[in-house]
Amino acid sequence: IRDDDATGSPVSLRSTLERVRYQYVPDHVLGEILSKRWIDNAIPFTVLVLVVVSFGMLIPGIYAPVSFAISARQRGEVGLVCLAMMTVVISCGIDLSVGSNFALGNLVTLYLLNLQGWPIWAAVLCAILACALMGLFTGILVGYLRLRAFLTTLVTLIIIRALVDLLLLAYAQPISVRFFDNDIWDFVGAGGLWGIPTSFLAFALIGVLGHVILSRSRPGWRAMAIGGSRRSAHNIGIAVRRPVCATYVISGMLCGVASVFYAARLGGVGTDTGYGLEILTLTAVVLGGISLGGGRGSVIKAAMGAVIVLVMTNGVIRLGLNAGSGALILGLTLIFGVFVDVKWFTP
């Protein structure tokens, strides 16, 4: 006699299927492996090696010195934005406005240099400050007013992008017809030290500083604690609202720094500046092994994720695939990364 359960399926049949599943689909074993501490760094490093080797075999010369030097500048800029996204995600947040903020910083920099004739230091400082103010606005909404980060940053993405588009209508053509000629500015955009581009050097220096703050200082520990459990952090006496707000300010500042290098390298504005950057950096963060649930991550992981996504996107372009292929691959990769993070890494 076979009794039926509440769903109407025979118990014996269900038991047989469960036994077969546990015998031939050992996802519990995979879950145990993924729960080990060393796997956090092993997985992104393995993915990095596979991606680098695969595209190196498919595209001869992709890692030639000239090609590597050009891509290193892009890696420095994108790496800074990945650090911005990582800072927010570690505290169990998300910042979808990084691409729009990046475009705003680029526009402010070129407007002040090309049209207003400001000195470089003042224009750079003002661009970073403008992006930091956008981050402060988001941080107040998420940190102090406790609005949901996803919806809030989606709204700020739309607001900042609309502001950039309005400014482009007025100033895009005047900025394009003028050129800021300065040796220091040329060094920022096209120079470097010991063969290393300036943007990549800045990314490395800021990354080292970020690693020290995150792993060796009280603000970094507090951000990790808040990401692990906001309620528990509050119960042990951590002032939650201020650190959460600060992560968005830091995110805005890092976007501003990245936009300055972008402005120095290309010297132009457009509606496509920063477009899709939030998806690219979010994919990099997830592939780097930084949990979307917060409380776990590092600068090294963000750097590995940035290299992975840039090699993938540049490799797709070099393979001659159509324009939508890169976005499709990023989207599928992000789905896979989120699936792994939610199924095995999120408590």
Side-chain angles (χ1 to χ4, degrees):
I1 300 175
R2 297 184 304 174
D3 296 329
D4 291 349
D5 62 2
T7 60
S9 10
V11 174
S12 58
L13 177 59
R14 186 181 63 178
S15 301
T16 302
L17 292 176
E18 289 180 353
R19 186 167 57 254
V20 171
R21 171 180 172 271
Y22 278 103
Q23 182 176 358
Y24 295 102
V25 187
D27 57 344
H28 58 290
V29 177
L30 181 61
E32 291 177 1
I33 295 175
L34 293 176
S35 64
K36 305 297 183 182
R37 291 181 60 87
W38 55 266
I39 207 71
D40 277 357
N41 295 320
I43 288 181
F45 181 76
T46 303
V47 174
L48 173 63
V49 172
L50 291 176
V51 169
V52 169
V53 172
S54 299
F55 281 97
M57 296 174 61
L58 291 174
I59 308 173
I62 189 174
Y63 304 124
V66 176
S67 177
F68 184 81
I70 295 174
S71 61
R73 298 190 186 278
Q74 185 185 14
R75 289 192 182 98
E77 297 161 7
V78 175
L80 288 170
V81 185
C82 287
L83 292 181
M85 183 68 78
M86 178 209 69
T87 304
V88 177
V89 170
I90 279 179
S91 62
C92 198
I94 191 171
D95 191 357
L96 299 179
S97 64
V98 291
S100 300
N101 225 0
F102 180 86
L104 177 64
N106 175 67
L107 176 60
V108 170
T109 303
L110 294 178
Y111 169 79
L112 295 177
L113 290 177
N114 292 7
L115 300 185
Q116 300 300 320
W118 282 32
I120 296 175
W121 68 268
V124 169
L125 185 62
C126 188
I128 296 175
L129 180 61
C131 294
L133 288 176
M134 295 296 103
L136 177 61
F137 173 69
T138 305
I140 291 174
L141 295 177
V142 176
Y144 285 95
L145 300 182
R146 303 192 65 178
L147 301 183
R148 293 192 179 276
F150 182 86
L151 294 177
T152 302
T153 56
L154 180 61
V155 171
T156 54
L157 178 155
I158 298 171
I159 293 174
I160 299 173
R161 181 62 68 176
L163 176 62
V164 171
D165 290 341
L166 290 174
L167 293 174
L168 284 175
L169 290 175
Y171 300 111
Q173 185 175 0
I175 289 175
S176 300
V177 298
R178 297 190 183 185
F179 180 75
F180 184 77
D181 188 12
N182 186 282
D183 292 338
I184 298 177
W185 191 239
D186 293 339
F187 174 78
V188 173
L193 296 174
W194 310 293
I196 305 175
T198 51
S199 60
F200 195 85
L201 283 174
F203 166 63
L205 292 175
I206 294 175
V208 171
L209 179 62
H211 173 72
V212 172
I213 293 175
L214 195 62
S215 60
R216 298 291 186 272
S217 71
R218 188 171 298 174
W221 298 336
R222 288 177 175 175
M224 286 285 196
I226 293 170
S229 175
R230 185 165 182 167
R231 182 178 296 275
S232 298
H234 174 75
N235 290 338
I236 64 175
I238 295 178
V240 173
R241 295 181 179 181
R242 186 183 302 172
V244 171
C245 180
T247 59
Y248 287 93
V249 176
I250 295 172
S251 174
M253 293 175 63
L254 290 173
C255 290
V257 174
S259 69
V260 168
F261 287 105
Y262 181 84
R265 179 167 63 93
L266 297 182
V269 294
T271 56
D272 60 340
T273 302
Y275 180 79
L277 190 56
E278 58 280 343
I279 301 300
L280 188 146
T281 53
L282 185 60
T283 305
V285 165
V286 173
L287 289 181
I290 300 172
S291 175
L292 292 177
R296 191 180 74 246
S298 67
V299 172
I300 298 299
K301 293 179 180 179
M304 287 192 292
V307 174
I308 291 171
V309 296
L310 284 176
V311 171
M312 289 172 57
T313 53
N314 291 336
V316 168
I317 295 174
R318 293 281 295 271
L319 287 173
L321 301 179
N322 57 43
S325 300
L328 176 62
I329 291 176
L330 281 181
L332 294 176
T333 306
L334 180 58
I335 290 176
F336 174 75
V338 171
F339 171 76
V340 173
D341 178 68
V342 171
K343 184 169 179 60
W344 284 296
F345 286 159
T346 301

